[in-house]
Amino acid sequence: MALSRLAPQFAAEIHQHDWSDAPYRLDRAGHQREHDLPNDVPQMSPEETDRIRTNVMWVVAQVLGYQDPNFDPYEFADAAGVRTKTRSGHKDGYIMAGLRIAHEPELKGHYARPGTWDTYDE
């Protein structure tokens, strides 16, 4: 894996966590629903769970992309358990659409500074 030293660790935590009841409870890091007692907390659908996981991936990827000029959001998303391909097997553009990356020619590819909407460092 060509990800930076921290990126695989973030991806592993995102991937390993059971996000299916995330809006209904505070979970410790690495939560696994099958270990909960009692297990009467509501659970989201698989699609809702994927949305939570994807949003978490985007937040972490925004910071990693800002910090690491070699960061690959598709590799990170895949490692985090987020779908990265279309049905036909091509890279899905929604991965990039969830990140704040400059499109101006002079700043193309730069990630917005974490905590800002459109502040790009040169």
Side-chain angles (χ1 to χ4, degrees):
M1 182 178 281
L3 293 173
S4 71
R5 186 176 135 288
L6 285 177
Q9 294 172 11
F10 281 121
E13 280 294 315
I14 293 167
H15 187 28
Q16 186 255 352
H17 191 84
D18 180 347
W19 296 99
S20 67
D21 57 5
Y24 309 112
R25 57 181 286 155
L26 294 175
D27 293 331
R28 60 181 172 77
H31 166 66
Q32 291 294 313
R33 187 175 174 85
E34 62 270 12
H35 300 297
D36 291 349
L37 294 175
N39 198 358
D40 58 354
V41 175
Q43 189 170 1
M44 296 183 298
S45 70
E47 294 82 15
E48 292 167 323
T49 301
D50 285 342
R51 288 183 201 127
I52 296 285
R53 181 183 304 106
T54 301
N55 277 310
V56 170
M57 179 278 301
W58 275 326
V59 168
V60 175
Q62 185 68 38
V63 176
L64 290 170
Y66 177 78
Q67 294 293 330
D68 180 359
N70 299 314
F71 178 70
D72 182 339
Y74 286 96
E75 186 177 3
F76 179 71
D78 187 56
V82 173
R83 178 185 58 79
T84 59
K85 306 266 186 195
T86 63
R87 287 184 210 178
S88 61
H90 296 94
K91 285 183 176 179
D92 197 321
Y94 93 105
I95 296 295
M96 298 303 289
L99 298 168
R100 296 183 319 280
I101 300 174
H103 299 287
E104 297 82 2
E106 68 277 6
L107 296 173
K108 190 167 178 79
H110 287 187
Y111 286 73
R113 186 178 307 139
T116 70
W117 289 108
D118 57 3
T119 303
Y120 301 97
D121 298 333
E122 291 192 38

